[in-house]
Amino acid sequence: MRLGRIASPDGVAFVSIEGDGPDAVCKEIAEHPFGNPNFTGRSWPLADVRLLAPILASKVIAVGKNYAAHAEEMGGVAPEDPVIFLKPNTAIIGPNVPIQLPADADPVHHEGELAIVIGRPCKDVPAARAAEFILGYTIGNDVSARDQQRKDGQWMRAKGHDTFCPLGPWIVTDLDPSDVELRTEVNGQVRQRSRTSLLLHDIGRLVEWTSAVMTLLPGDVILTGTPEGVGPIEDGDTVSITVEGIGTLTNPVVRKGKK
């Protein structure tokens, strides 16, 4: 199932997206998509609505240096345990919404990632049971202001700006995330290309590690880490991240405050 969140002429709603291309239809879900969704009977052609971020998380937990080649390109070593940090939920935007580069940040990098969406409240989840608590998977972009990251010595400001967490285009509930391709393109040029089989800490381990620290709530997002090939994005660019089995998340880039 593909679960999305849309803006239609009738307001904002969670939907199940069925079909592809011009025949794709959004079927409205009552209240929320967790558990066994109830449908209202209303529907809209996908072409007639606007896709929003598929979920509004209470928190976004991001994982640093979870691909060995990315750890190396950033001048570090692969960590023995997951390295986690928080991005504020105010950083979340949906497909086609501009990433706004702060006027005083340079360079700002893209980081394409597979994202986990939690489906049930959980704490201290064993890795072997992680799938029981996952609603599905979407695509994320852990946008990062590298100069601020270096200056601050920690990552909150550099990765926490409004618009620095694009998510979408929808959540896929039946994806096997163990070995899918992830590709990031900027203006049609491939920057990142890897597979989730190269994650240092897999999905089960990440849910186990994060839930040992904090309670995870329905809708919470875990960004699983980015592969090598991160690089700068500039005003006027278009960033597209494709994950096999999910789709493509695309966002334009603008410089904040530009006249």
Side-chain angles (χ1 to χ4, degrees):
M1 181 181 289
R2 287 181 296 169
L3 299 171
R5 190 168 148 268
I6 63 165
S8 78
D10 298 316
V12 174
F14 286 107
V15 295
S16 171
I17 301 166
E18 301 182 8
D20 295 299
D23 298 324
V25 174
C26 301
K27 296 186 175 181
E28 185 179 41
I29 295 171
E31 297 180 351
H32 60 73
F34 306 107
N36 295 315
N38 295 314
F39 292 89
T40 67
R42 298 201 301 175
S43 65
W44 303 268
L46 179 59
D48 292 348
V49 302
R50 179 165 58 92
L51 285 170
L52 306 174
I55 205 73
L56 290 178
S58 74
K59 53 186 173 292
V60 178
I61 304 108
V63 182
K65 300 180 180 179
N66 202 23
Y67 289 82
H70 174 59
E72 182 178 354
E73 79 174 347
M74 297 302 291
V77 296
E80 182 178 347
D81 293 315
V83 176
I84 61 174
F85 58 94
L86 291 174
K87 290 173 77 82
N89 58 11
T90 48
I92 295 173
I93 56 174
N96 302 312
V97 176
I99 298 167
Q100 297 185 26
L101 309 179
D104 60 348
D106 185 43
V108 176
H109 283 188
H110 61 79
E111 292 194 4
E113 312 201 8
L114 175 70
I116 304 165
V117 182
I118 297 299
R120 294 166 52 193
C122 58
K123 182 74 170 75
D124 296 321
V125 177
R129 294 188 58 201
E132 299 174 30
F133 299 92
I134 294 173
L135 174 65
Y137 300 87
T138 189
I139 303 169
N141 188 351
D142 177 20
V143 183
S144 305
R146 296 298 185 207
D147 57 334
Q148 295 179 0
Q149 192 173 346
R150 290 191 295 268
K151 181 178 180 180
D152 294 354
Q154 52 87 18
W155 301 351
M156 186 65 194
R157 179 169 69 120
K159 293 171 174 281
H161 289 276
D162 289 356
T163 76
F164 272 27
C165 188
L167 294 175
W170 40 63
I171 299 163
V172 174
T173 61
D174 55 356
L175 180 76
D176 178 354
S178 60
D179 184 27
V180 295
E181 184 185 73
L182 184 153
R183 184 177 73 253
T184 302
E185 298 180 5
V186 177
N187 304 327
Q189 178 184 9
V190 177
R191 293 272 191 89
Q192 296 179 280
R193 193 168 206 157
S194 190
R195 303 193 69 85
T196 56
S197 55
L198 296 175
L199 285 168
L200 296 173
H201 306 290
D202 66 13
I203 303 303
R205 171 70 164 146
L206 295 180
V207 173
E208 179 180 65
W209 184 264
T210 54
S211 69
V213 177
M214 64 193 80
T215 299
L216 301 177
L217 301 176
D220 282 352
V221 171
I222 302 174
L223 299 177
T224 60
T226 196
E228 73 277 12
V230 300
I233 50 177
E234 306 286 353
D235 180 66
D237 285 348
T238 299
V239 184
S240 294
I241 303 165
T242 301
V243 173
E244 181 182 3
I246 299 179
T248 300
L249 169 66
T250 297
N251 296 91
V253 181
V254 300
R255 178 66 66 176
K256 191 175 179 181
K258 183 180 179 182
K259 300 297 185 181

